[in-house]
Amino acid sequence: IDHNQPMSGILESLKDFSLVFLPLLVAMDPLAILPFLVPFLGAVQPAHRRRVVNIALITGLAVGLLFLGLGKGIFIVIGITLSDFLIAGGAVLLVLSLKELLSSSAAEVPADPNELMAVVPIGTPLLVGPATVSMLILLSSLFSVWLVIVAFLANVVVAWVIFAQSQRIVRFLGHGGLQAFSQVSYLLLAAIAVQLIRRGIVDLVRGMGPG
């Protein structure tokens, strides 16, 4: 009896989970939202702040699960291949990440914030926007849908913890530290995007080979 087999299976599952969890964490980047979220929460009555955070997270979760459910169906209906979407999705992620890397403007909080802003722009597109949606659909084509759902839920929990402790995190890191962390995250997202494009091109070339 090979006693190492269960352990190797667990390690393989953890590896797959990390390969899904980390790109989603980089795409969602909840820390990058704090410079917008903290002033917004400061303008909201203290009794309503937890509700605002919960609404934002539920909105992001709903948007992500909606597109995750539609992902493979879109492939079938439109007739596109995984290689096509890897290249297109990677290109979208690359453009989005470069746009954020090259942008120096900070998000401004309106003078009269309300709970609807927990839905837009905090829940979407700041937390779950085009980058996250593209990443979810791409990952669901490369890994088990259930694994992607679990990793996405884990990232929502991470975002909830970060949002709940947002004021402490901002005091600790400072706005400069948050900006630096955000820039590194977008650089990683750009690298992931290039990797997806490269993989899509390689798969496309192999598919065009003699057979």
Side-chain angles (χ1 to χ4, degrees), residues 89-102 190 193 197:
V92 170
L93 290 173
L94 183 60
V95 170
L96 289 170
S97 57
L98 290 177
K99 178 183 176 183
E100 294 297 332
L101 278 170
L102 299 175
I197 294 172

Side-chain angles (χ1 to χ4, degrees), residues 9-22 143 147:
I10 293 173
L11 292 175
E12 189 67 26
S13 298
L14 289 174
K15 179 184 176 183
D16 288 345
F17 178 80
S18 67
L19 290 174
V20 178
F21 176 83
L22 293 176
F143 298 91
L147 179 63

Side-chain angles (χ1 to χ4, degrees), residues 119-182:
V119 177
V120 178
I122 298 175
T124 183
L126 287 179
L127 182 62
V128 178
T132 305
V133 168
S134 299
M135 187 65 73
L136 282 169
I137 297 176
L138 283 167
L139 291 171
S140 68
S141 302
L142 300 172
F143 298 91
S144 162
V145 173
W146 291 110
L147 179 63
V148 178
I149 290 174
V150 170
F152 180 50
L153 290 174
N155 270 289
V156 171
V157 171
V158 170
W160 180 83
V161 172
I162 290 174
F163 286 4
Q165 302 297 323
S166 57
Q167 292 180 333
R168 292 181 180 178
I169 293 172
V170 169
R171 281 199 300 267
F172 178 74
L173 293 178
H175 287 282
L178 287 172
Q179 182 68 20
F181 187 90
S182 176

Side-chain angles (χ1 to χ4, degrees), residues 12-60:
E12 189 67 26
S13 298
L14 289 174
K15 179 184 176 183
D16 288 345
F17 178 80
S18 67
L19 290 174
V20 178
F21 176 83
L22 293 176
L24 280 176
L25 180 62
V26 172
M28 293 174 70
D29 197 8
L31 279 175
I33 303 172
L34 295 191
F36 178 92
L37 179 68
V38 170
F40 171 66
L41 290 178
V44 174
Q45 295 182 2
H48 294 164
R49 289 174 185 172
R50 185 176 294 273
R51 172 178 168 81
V52 166
V53 168
N54 290 339
I55 290 174
L57 291 169
I58 291 171
T59 300

